[in-house]
Amino acid sequence: MAMALYVLQHIFLISITLSPLCFSLVFQVSCQEDCFSSFTPTPCPNVSVREQILRLANDQETLDWMKQIRRKIHEYPELAYEEVKTSELIRHELDLLGVPYRWPVARTGVVATIGSGSLPFVALRADMDALPIQELVEWEHKSKVDGKMHACSHDAHVAMLLGAAKILQKLRCTLQGTVVLIFQPAEERGEGARDMIKEAVLENVEAIFGLHLVHVYPAGVVATRPKEFLAGCGSFKATITGKGGHAAIPQHTIDPILAASTAVISLQNIVSRETDPFDSLVVSVAMIHGGTAFNVIPDSATIAGTFRAFSKKSFNSLRDRIEEVIKAQAAVHRCSAKIDFSGKDHPMIPPTVNDEKVYEHVMRVSREIVGEENTKLAPTFMGSEDFAFYLDKVPGSFLFLGINNETIGAIHPPHSPYFTIDEDVFPTGAAIHAAFAHSFLSNPTRISI
């Protein structure tokens, strides 16, 4: 009987008040070392999970730790599938936290788990790779690798997800399921997410969440939108073949330059004359190459460009129409055309489409963390993210977290050599990650798929 009373004294008392996908979780726990190592081993008063998460996220020691991680990664940036040191650092920190993980995944990726190890599963994702850019920001932790820079905040994404791991590990006894932490390589190549999916990182996962730091919102402000959020991105390269010869006797040639030129002009009509003005599309030809001499018509000419759309239907239709136009214009001028959409260096990425129910959940969680006034409805953006591949497989939502701060020079867009981050947003990012995962698992009805 004494043992039974002892167990009962240490059982979790959970009170859940539910609104659609939104709830306040209040619990009584005995703050034992195995779950709350930073607390004294005495009974805690009723404290909400939100308050626990915010307290852990805003702890100065945790913030300094996240900054240190980000700066280490920033000093030694690694390109797609080269994230060896980054992966090693992540594994080292997970080891110190006592968080189990699987490695290697998709060559350099790491997949960790926190919680019961049983259903339900929810996933959080951070990308790891840097860009081939020479950093021009002069600061103590400037890139030490010539020609490489973390100019898209992936170093910060890793630091915040590790911050969330630290929070969730301390709250692991309250997790009613399993959190999967995905540290993904090669986002900038548009291949990392696909390769991670091939290695079953989404197995049993019911929902996924990811975020990106952006300069378009003030530091600490978050923004997203339901359904279509970021554009799908594709590239094309068309080789138009004719018959070369002397430019003084064009009647004996089949001119691929002429065919390429009319194809470029005709491609502009797809958006201006064939699509609904309210359906935002982009077709841009950004490269033309043909010939090596002013008086010789070449055998072939090449054009290449990009196309973008927000809906999967429009994206796929746009791709098909680009192929039709180029081949038709080539045929009109007696040429043939071969079009490559595979884009080895720039593969096609589908639109980032947020699941409406998961979006609503993310917005509610965000309001609890940053307040109503700092939670915004974002417009659509023409940028692309390979997080879209995860959203093709499971419901999820992608979020922007603002870093704009003129005082420290955090005003430059991603992929700029002057890109700077306000590191004081790290607690917000870590808290939203942790709160999303914890609250999703705690909802007994969760999201019906």
Side-chain angles (χ1 to χ4, degrees):
M1 178 63 72
M3 178 60 71
L5 288 172
Y6 178 84
V7 171
L8 286 172
Q9 286 173 352
H10 290 75
I11 218 161
F12 291 110
L13 303 177
I14 300 175
S15 170
I16 302 173
T17 305
L18 288 170
S19 61
L21 280 180
C22 173
F23 49 90
S24 173
L25 179 63
V26 179
F27 58 91
Q28 259 188 344
V29 300
S30 173
C31 298
Q32 298 181 39
E33 286 291 319
D34 61 343
C35 284
F36 301 92
S37 58
S38 64
F39 303 152
T40 56
T42 57
C44 295
N46 283 358
V47 181
S48 72
V49 170
R50 181 184 69 85
E51 290 170 332
Q52 292 279 13
I53 288 173
L54 284 172
R55 185 170 72 170
L56 292 167
N58 286 289
D59 176 72
Q60 188 61 49
E61 183 179 333
T62 299
L63 173 57
D64 292 342
W65 173 72
M66 286 190 285
K67 287 181 178 181
Q68 183 183 46
I69 289 170
R70 182 255 167 164
R71 292 170 181 179
K72 285 180 180 179
I73 297 172
H74 191 88
E75 288 181 352
Y76 295 96
E78 298 171 302
L79 302 183
Y81 296 119
E82 299 174 4
E83 307 95 333
V84 176
K85 288 185 178 180
T86 305
S87 177
E88 184 179 356
L89 184 151
I90 291 167
R91 300 194 314 274
H92 174 71
E93 296 298 337
L94 291 172
D95 286 334
L96 293 177
L97 292 173
V99 175
Y101 56 82
R102 178 161 62 99
W103 172 85
V105 185
R107 294 190 242 180
T108 55
V110 181
V111 179
T113 54
I114 301 174
S116 67
S118 58
L119 298 174
F121 282 65
V122 64
L124 306 172
R125 171 270 205 171
D127 36 19
M128 307 188 298
D129 55 322
L131 288 159
I133 293 174
Q134 184 67 44
E135 181 168 10
L136 298 179
V137 182
E138 295 299 333
W139 69 305
E140 184 182 355
H141 300 283
K142 181 178 180 180
S143 171
K144 299 182 186 300
V145 183
D146 192 47
K148 297 178 183 179
M149 176 189 177
H150 270 288
C152 203
S153 67
H154 296 186
D155 49 350
H157 298 168
V158 169
M160 289 186 291
L161 187 54
L162 283 171
K166 187 173 186 178
I167 295 167
L168 292 167
Q169 181 69 347
K170 289 188 176 183
L171 296 174
R172 66 188 181 278
C173 289
T174 68
L175 291 172
Q176 300 178 44
T178 306
V179 183
V180 180
L181 308 174
I182 300 172
F183 296 91
Q184 176 207 306
E187 188 279 330
E188 298 294 352
R189 283 260 295 268
E191 297 178 356
R194 275 192 313 187
D195 286 351
M196 295 292 276
I197 292 168
K198 289 177 184 176
E199 298 204 30
V201 301
L202 295 181
E203 185 176 359
N204 295 321
V205 168
E206 294 187 16
I208 188 168
F209 170 76
L211 65 74
H212 203 297
L213 300 187
V214 294
H215 74 296
V216 295
Y217 290 101
V221 171
V222 300
T224 186
R225 67 179 297 107
K227 303 175 72 173
E228 291 83 8
F229 184 21
L230 306 180
C233 173
S235 63
F236 63 92
K237 182 178 181 180
T239 302
I240 299 172
T241 303
K243 178 184 175 183
H246 201 289
I249 47 173
Q251 68 274 23
H252 296 309
T253 70
I254 299 175
D255 191 350
I257 299 290
L258 179 59
S261 300
T262 58
V264 171
I265 294 171
S266 295
L267 286 171
Q268 310 311 306
N269 293 330
I270 297 175
V271 174
S272 67
R273 289 295 178 268
E274 297 181 16
T275 62
D276 187 335
F278 293 102
D279 185 12
S280 298
L281 306 176
V282 168
V283 178
S284 293
V285 178
M287 186 178 76
I288 303 176
H289 178 75
T292 56
F294 75 95
N295 60 349
V296 178
I297 293 173
D299 287 321
S300 65
T302 301
I303 62 173
T306 185
F307 60 99
R308 310 215 169 192
F310 287 103
S311 75
K312 294 176 184 177
K313 180 179 178 182
S314 295
F315 186 70
N316 293 329
S317 296
L318 191 55
R319 178 196 181 282
D320 293 341
R321 189 67 180 127
I322 288 169
E323 183 172 16
E324 289 174 358
V325 167
I326 295 174
K327 286 186 174 181
Q329 287 299 327
V332 165
H333 297 282
R334 300 178 297 149
C335 294
S336 61
K338 183 178 180 181
I339 306 166
D340 179 17
F341 288 99
S342 61
K344 183 177 180 182
D345 295 323
H346 304 283
M348 280 199 294
I349 299 173
T352 299
V353 182
N354 287 335
D355 178 87
E356 290 186 77
K357 291 183 178 179
V358 180
Y359 156 81
E360 290 170 2
H361 187 62
V362 168
M363 290 295 274
R364 291 187 179 106
V365 167
S366 297
R367 290 187 193 105
E368 289 208 357
I369 300 299
V370 301
E372 182 80 35
E373 69 281 6
N374 292 317
T375 305
K376 308 295 184 183
L377 177 66
T380 54
F381 285 85
M382 275 294 173
S384 297
E385 239 285 352
D386 83 343
F387 189 79
F389 287 110
Y390 298 116
L391 298 180
D392 266 357
K393 300 296 183 182
V394 298
S397 190
F398 197 63
L399 180 78
F400 282 167
L401 171 57
I403 54 169
N404 191 289
N405 184 341
E406 290 188 17
T407 304
I408 63 171
I411 58 174
H412 300 283
H415 294 219
S416 164
Y418 297 100
F419 184 70
T420 303
I421 285 172
D422 184 347
E423 295 178 325
D424 287 336
V425 306
F426 288 1
T428 298
I432 291 175
H433 274 105
F436 171 83
H438 196 293
S439 57
F440 180 87
L441 294 179
S442 299
N443 184 354
T445 58
R446 292 189 302 282
I447 294 171
S448 103
I449 303 171

